[in-house]
């Protein structure tokens, strides 16, 4: 079960980074501090995390018992 979640998270994260590259013209935007509005811009890491979370969510709810 853990291997399934890790695989789904990794594949979803890589897919998120690919969509980030497509959206930003093949440029990988790295995390940086923002001055206005004050905060942190996560860049490609946010796309990796969102893609991984979406893939884990899909595996959890679309295939409730993957081991059976």
């Amino acid at each position: 079960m853990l291997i399934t979640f890790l695989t789904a998270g990794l594949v979803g994260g890589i897919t998120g980074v690919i969509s980030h590259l497509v959206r930003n013209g093949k440029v990988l935007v790295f995390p940086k501090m923002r001055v206005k509005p004050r905060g942190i811009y996560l860049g490609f890491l946010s796309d990796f995390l969102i893609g991984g979370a979406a893939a884990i969510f899909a595996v959890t709810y679309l295939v409730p018992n993957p081991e059976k």
Side-chain angles (χ1 to χ4, degrees):
M1 188 77 153
L2 180 62
I3 299 295
T4 305
F5 287 153
L6 290 176
T7 304
L10 184 63
V11 169
I14 291 171
T15 305
V17 171
I18 290 171
S19 73
H20 174 84
L21 289 171
V22 168
R23 194 177 41 224
N24 291 314
K26 297 181 184 175
V27 175
L28 199 63
V29 179
F30 289 97
K32 59 184 172 185
M33 295 294 291
R34 289 190 307 194
V35 177
K36 211 170 196 175
R38 191 175 152 99
I40 299 172
Y41 178 68
L42 292 177
F44 76 94
L45 289 178
S46 64
D47 293 319
F48 183 87
L49 294 173
I50 290 171
I56 291 172
F57 177 78
V59 166
T60 303
Y61 287 102
L62 295 178
V63 186
N65 295 320
E67 300 297 323
K68 291 183 180 180

